[in-house]
Amino acid sequence: MMRRVRKAIFPVGGLGTRFLPATKAMPKEMLPVVDKPLIQYAVEEARAAGIEEFIFVTGRGKTTIEDHFDHSYELEHTLEARGKTAELEALRAWLPPAGDVAYTRQQVPLGLGHAVWCARDLVGDEPFAVLLADDLILSKTPALKQMCDIYPEVRGNMVAVMDVPKAHTQRYGILSPGRDDGRLVQVRGLVEKPKAEEAPSTLAVIGRYILEPAVFAHLDKKSKGAGGEIQLTDSLVPMIGTSPFHGYRFEGQRFDCGDKIGFFEAQIAFALARADLGPAAQAVIKRYT
Ligand code: UTP
């Protein structure tokens, strides 16, 4: 019987060195785009996709994320006393229900593959999603929902993909594509951070995955890959051919919020897309162009 994707892992244990000093005492996933932390966009996307259990793999700054997804009695009391009911309701509306959130600590940031492996016992034996909050996606249908909707047809492993400039292949996991219907691309091979001249294509893996629990057995080996890190993609390679494996070209615009300019562009795009801020944001941009 086909099992629904119910659990999602949010790896938030990276060092975020590209955003120092902002990330010295705070995880980069707490950086806000307009008025919402990156991690909240990711959690809302997961909820919209039907995810019921939210597993955070944290490192430093654990308490900020835990506090963010918890009641703040002092703040709620103050808002109530001041009659700010709309703000109060908005604050309570997106809190995950009690018991649906779990935290585990990565202890040492050995890489994304290691972060995912840390959640193995919380995931158990069922397909699960992974969302990297620093890949922020602006779309009509939340990107993970697009993937979960099509997943029952394909099963196996599924990764979000997009075309990147050839000069940027070294920043991503790159697919060696097989059959391609424009939306779904069969994965024949996968290589992490190849040089432009060695890249098998320009189709890059973006931070949304639906994975088979069998990946944990491969992650168990803790082999180090590109950059001396335990890479998630390296553990997906031996699964090619053993179960279905697809890249999914999502609808939407993706912003690399782990990068300063990508983060800056996300601020502009998300402000412009907001009904309450769009016209004012447009006027500000005009002043600088
Ligand atoms: P990045 O490659 O962007 O690394 O991680 P980073 O450490 O967060 O940032 P920089 O490069 O130093 O600026 C991609 C994703 O994997 C998570 C990060 O939190 C981010 O969501 N990650 C990475 C972990 O959870 N643990 C790790 O050991 C490494």
Short mmCIF file of all heavy atoms in Angstrom, two decimals, residues 13 28 46 52 61 101 130 141 188 200 233 235 260:
data_model
loop_
_atom_site.label_atom_id
_atom_site.label_comp_id
_atom_site.label_asym_id
_atom_site.label_seq_id
_atom_site.Cartn_x
_atom_site.Cartn_y
_atom_site.Cartn_z
N GLY A 13 21.29 22.89 10.83
CA GLY A 13 22.50 22.80 11.64
C GLY A 13 23.74 23.38 10.98
O GLY A 13 24.83 23.32 11.54
N LYS A 28 21.00 30.68 10.32
CA LYS A 28 20.65 31.50 9.15
C LYS A 28 19.18 31.33 8.78
O LYS A 28 18.57 32.22 8.21
CB LYS A 28 21.61 31.20 8.01
CG LYS A 28 21.15 30.28 6.94
CD LYS A 28 22.16 30.15 5.84
CE LYS A 28 22.18 28.69 5.40
NZ LYS A 28 23.13 28.40 4.35
N ALA A 46 5.55 23.04 3.98
CA ALA A 46 5.38 21.62 4.32
C ALA A 46 3.95 21.35 4.77
O ALA A 46 3.34 20.35 4.38
CB ALA A 46 6.38 21.24 5.42
N GLU A 52 2.62 16.29 8.51
CA GLU A 52 2.04 16.30 9.87
C GLU A 52 3.09 16.30 10.96
O GLU A 52 2.81 16.64 12.10
CB GLU A 52 1.15 15.06 10.04
CG GLU A 52 -0.07 15.09 9.14
CD GLU A 52 -0.72 13.71 9.02
OE1 GLU A 52 -0.19 12.74 9.59
OE2 GLU A 52 -1.75 13.62 8.34
N GLY A 61 22.09 27.74 18.30
CA GLY A 61 20.91 28.60 18.16
C GLY A 61 19.61 27.82 18.20
O GLY A 61 18.58 28.27 17.74
N VAL A 101 6.00 18.56 16.55
CA VAL A 101 7.35 19.05 16.26
C VAL A 101 8.36 18.27 17.09
O VAL A 101 8.15 18.03 18.28
CB VAL A 101 7.47 20.56 16.61
CG1 VAL A 101 8.82 21.11 16.16
CG2 VAL A 101 6.35 21.34 15.97
N VAL A 130 12.49 16.36 2.75
CA VAL A 130 13.54 17.21 3.32
C VAL A 130 13.38 18.59 2.69
O VAL A 130 13.24 18.70 1.47
CB VAL A 130 14.96 16.67 3.01
CG1 VAL A 130 16.03 17.59 3.59
CG2 VAL A 130 15.15 15.25 3.53
N THR A 141 1.49 27.29 -6.43
CA THR A 141 1.28 26.11 -5.58
C THR A 141 2.60 25.86 -4.85
O THR A 141 3.65 25.80 -5.50
CB THR A 141 0.93 24.88 -6.44
OG1 THR A 141 -0.18 25.21 -7.25
CG2 THR A 141 0.61 23.66 -5.58
N ARG A 188 19.58 9.37 -14.15
CA ARG A 188 20.50 8.29 -14.55
C ARG A 188 21.77 8.33 -13.72
O ARG A 188 22.44 7.33 -13.50
CB ARG A 188 20.91 8.48 -16.02
CG ARG A 188 19.85 8.08 -17.00
CD ARG A 188 20.34 6.89 -17.86
NE ARG A 188 19.28 6.40 -18.72
CZ ARG A 188 19.01 6.94 -19.90
NH1 ARG A 188 19.73 7.94 -20.37
NH2 ARG A 188 18.01 6.46 -20.63
N PRO A 200 27.39 16.70 -16.08
CA PRO A 200 26.65 15.94 -17.09
C PRO A 200 25.46 16.70 -17.68
O PRO A 200 24.91 16.28 -18.69
CB PRO A 200 26.17 14.71 -16.30
CG PRO A 200 26.18 15.12 -14.87
CD PRO A 200 27.24 16.15 -14.72
N THR A 233 23.52 13.83 -1.53
CA THR A 233 23.43 13.30 -2.90
C THR A 233 24.30 12.04 -3.07
O THR A 233 23.92 11.12 -3.78
CB THR A 233 23.85 14.36 -3.94
OG1 THR A 233 25.03 14.99 -3.48
CG2 THR A 233 22.78 15.37 -4.17
N SER A 235 24.73 9.63 -1.10
CA SER A 235 24.00 8.45 -0.63
C SER A 235 22.79 8.13 -1.51
O SER A 235 22.19 7.07 -1.37
CB SER A 235 23.54 8.65 0.82
OG SER A 235 24.65 8.48 1.67
N LYS A 260 24.23 36.15 -0.32
CA LYS A 260 23.79 37.52 -0.01
C LYS A 260 22.91 38.13 -1.10
O LYS A 260 21.87 38.71 -0.82
CB LYS A 260 25.00 38.41 0.23
CG LYS A 260 25.73 38.11 1.52
CD LYS A 260 26.81 39.15 1.77
CE LYS A 260 27.72 38.77 2.91
NZ LYS A 260 28.63 37.66 2.64
#
